[in-house]
Every structure is written in structure tokens, then in C-alpha cells.
Amino acid sequence: MKFDIHIQELTDIKQKINGCRPCFSWIFFGSQGIGKSLSAKNLALEILDSKTDQHPDLKIIAPLDSKDGISIDQIREIKSFLSLKSAISPYKIVIIDSIDDVSYQGSNALLKILEEPTDNTFIFLISHNISKVMPTIRSRSQEVLFQNPTYAECKAIMYEKYGSNKNFDDSIIISGNIPGLACTYLDNNVIEDYYKMLGLIGNAYMSASDMKGFDSNIKYMQNLILRFLSLINKQQLGVNIIATSKEKEMLTKLAKSTDLHKIMTLWQKTLENYKNQDIYNLDIKTNLYLTLSELS
């Protein structure tokens, strides 16, 4: 599947690949869900002159289990793969999706591979958080920042996937023009739950039991409530905001009853609560209830 996004990034990469000294290892970094992996695969297929990623000269490494990440054994497979002559194409290509998921031992094994580059070989490393990538791997790679698509580009992708039968404008805006995240929101009715949760603000009879209705999408609600707090901050500071009509409606409702100091304090407190939640395995719903209660 191909979309007309990241054209500039891919054009720059292809120019460097076609140069006199093409780089062996590349890091494609940027927000998760914006199409870095898809761009890497499409670029690989173009280089290999193939229409399918089931190509003997292409190896894609991804986590076998979402909890365990990419193991050292998977990285060792790359060395074996590169030690063989190419089967069809003059090139061999490896895609690691993502380098953020590679274990510490795996990163060290990958570093040894990068220290001994082979001709006509490219390794594309996908990263959603480049600060987590080992500095020695970064120093041996060409880094390319992939920008978030524009609203129009994201909408074109959503239209291609869903057609005209769904209203995906709010999902795009709230995702920050991140197609993968917008699709997740749409497929799981996340935005509907988010609006219902915002509707609890100001309810004098709200209780912790009200959080039970959001069980299926509770993992998304934290970031969305933090987004809403950020919108309040920006609005009260006079910064232009990009928000949906529903969000603007709630912002208008809160504008007269909420002061900036309270929101700033709540913002910091909420971030601290979420941090402690990960450390001490605290209940997500309780933290959300406390945040909404203080907004009311």
C-alpha cells in the first residue's frame, strides 16, 4: 500500500543511497503511527524492484511478543541473512521495526553488525523515540526525521481505508494527524468514550464507579485527558489551539470557573500520578477519577 506522504524524506534518502558512498544503516525516526515502517517497506521494494515484501533479499525483524520485544536471537538472524549472497536482487535489505524494542543484548549484537558493513546492503531501523537508541548505533547510522503528515494527508489516508462512510475528522484532530493513532481511535470508538468522560466534568454526583464504563478504552483515556488539560493551559495562556467542536464546547464551559494556577497545578499533579502509577502499578481508573474530580 502506498500513500503520497513523506515524499521529501524518501526523496532525500534515495538521493543519498544513489550517491557515491551510500550509507549502510539508516534510522527512520518520528512519532509512532505516521507511516515510517510502511515507508521503509515501500523504499525496500523499490530498491529490490519487487511488488511483495515476501522477497528472499528482504528481512523484516519485529517483536514476536509485544511484552518481550526483539530478542538477541532475532538480531543474530540478521548476521546469518547478510552472510549469504543475494538471491535475486543485487541488494539485501533489513528492516527492524522497531529498534526501540531491541533488548540491550540485541543492541550490542546489532552494533557488531553495523561495525562491519557489507556492500549493497541497507539496514533500516524504525524508531519512535530516538533518545532510547544506543548512542553507538546512532553514530553509525544516518538519521532521518519523519514529520507528522498534514491534516489533508492524514484525511486522504483515512478516506482510502474507510471510504466516505465514516466521520473521521475528530479522530484526526485529536490524534495530532497521526494516521495509525487516528485509525485506532476510530476502530475502537475511543473518541466517543473520551467525550463521555469529558461530560462527567462538573457532575456533582460523579463517583469512582463512573469509570467502569470506560474499561475497554481506559488505556487511551489518560493521554486524552492530559491532552484536554494541555488545551486548557494553552487557551488560558492565549496560545492558539487545534481542538474539535466538542472540546471547544467544554473549554468554553470551564473558562469562567477555572483559573490558570489551578490547571497548572493539576497538570503537574496528574503527570506525577501517572508516573507513580507505572512505578507502583496503581489503578488507572482511580487516577482518572481524581483528575476529573478536581476539574469539576
Side-chain angles (χ1 to χ4, degrees):
M1 185 179 294
K2 291 191 176 183
F3 297 108
D4 292 329
I5 59 172
H6 305 311
I7 295 174
Q8 186 59 56
E9 293 95 327
L10 292 174
T11 298
D12 291 344
I13 293 169
K14 284 186 279 189
Q15 286 177 346
K16 291 176 181 177
I17 284 178
N18 293 326
C20 58
R21 296 184 65 185
C23 187
F24 173 55
S25 174
W26 298 77
I27 300 178
F28 295 3
F29 72 99
S31 302
Q32 186 169 5
I34 61 173
K36 301 185 300 298
S37 177
L38 182 60
S39 294
K41 289 176 184 177
N42 287 338
L43 178 58
L45 297 185
E46 184 175 337
I47 293 171
L48 297 173
D49 192 22
S50 174
K51 294 182 179 180
T52 173
D53 58 12
Q54 301 300 312
H55 191 286
D57 296 319
L58 172 63
K59 188 169 189 62
I60 300 174
I61 302 291
L64 299 176
D65 187 294
S66 58
K67 295 181 180 179
D68 295 334
I70 295 175
S71 67
I72 186 173
D73 289 335
Q74 288 178 275
I75 298 300
R76 286 170 176 159
E77 290 176 11
I78 297 174
K79 186 173 183 179
S80 299
F81 171 74
L82 296 180
S83 68
L84 302 174
K85 291 184 178 181
S86 56
I88 301 174
S89 169
Y91 301 97
K92 302 200 79 171
I93 299 176
V94 175
I95 298 174
I96 300 181
D97 186 12
S98 72
I99 183 64
D100 309 338
D101 297 316
V102 178
S103 66
Y104 178 76
Q105 294 83 358
S107 293
N108 282 321
L110 176 62
L111 179 60
K112 292 180 180 178
I113 294 173
L114 299 185
E115 288 173 342
E116 300 175 358
T118 54
D119 293 335
N120 296 330
T121 299
F122 300 108
I123 297 180
F124 299 147
L125 309 174
I126 311 301
S127 176
H128 314 308
N129 186 352
I130 198 167
S131 64
K132 291 184 177 181
V133 181
M134 188 180 288
T136 44
I137 289 178
R138 293 183 62 178
S139 68
R140 287 167 174 77
S141 305
Q142 177 76 47
E143 298 177 359
V144 181
L145 170 62
F146 278 64
Q147 302 285 355
N148 285 15
T150 64
Y151 175 85
E153 289 171 336
C154 191
K155 190 166 186 176
I157 293 171
M158 300 290 281
Y159 185 84
E160 180 75 18
K161 180 176 175 65
Y162 297 104
S164 58
N165 296 325
K166 287 196 175 185
N167 182 356
F168 33 70
D169 288 351
D170 285 13
S171 295
I172 295 173
I173 292 172
I174 293 174
S175 73
N177 300 341
I178 298 178
L181 190 55
C183 290
T184 296
Y185 287 166
L186 200 61
D187 292 340
N188 295 283
N189 298 316
V190 173
I191 304 304
E192 288 85 344
D193 277 357
Y194 169 50
Y195 289 155
K196 288 178 184 177
M197 186 167 281
L198 290 184
L200 293 174
I201 298 173
N203 182 354
Y205 301 100
M206 182 177 63
S207 67
S209 62
D210 290 321
M211 296 295 106
K212 292 181 180 178
F214 305 103
D215 283 353
S216 61
N217 286 322
I218 199 70
K219 61 182 178 181
Y220 303 112
M221 292 300 108
Q222 285 185 313
N223 287 335
L224 294 181
I225 292 302
L226 280 173
R227 165 190 163 80
F228 187 69
L229 288 174
S230 176
L231 290 175
I232 299 174
N233 280 339
K234 290 178 180 178
Q235 185 183 60
Q236 297 206 4
L237 289 170
V239 178
N240 288 332
I241 61 171
I242 299 176
T244 67
S245 57
K246 286 280 189 181
E247 288 177 321
K248 289 178 180 177
E249 180 183 321
M250 182 56 69
L251 288 169
T252 301
K253 178 180 176 181
L254 290 174
K256 298 178 181 179
S257 60
T258 309
D259 63 82
L260 180 59
H261 177 71
K262 176 182 177 181
I263 291 299
M264 292 294 287
T265 302
L266 181 57
W267 169 266
Q268 294 297 330
K269 184 177 180 180
T270 302
L271 286 174
E272 188 65 27
N273 284 344
Y274 290 173
K275 179 181 178 181
N276 290 335
Q277 171 187 293
D278 292 335
I279 295 173
Y280 301 113
N281 196 27
L282 301 177
D283 183 56
I284 298 176
K285 289 181 285 188
T286 300
N287 276 335
L288 281 170
Y289 166 68
L290 293 173
T291 300
L292 294 176
S293 296
E294 294 204 35
L295 267 177
S296 298

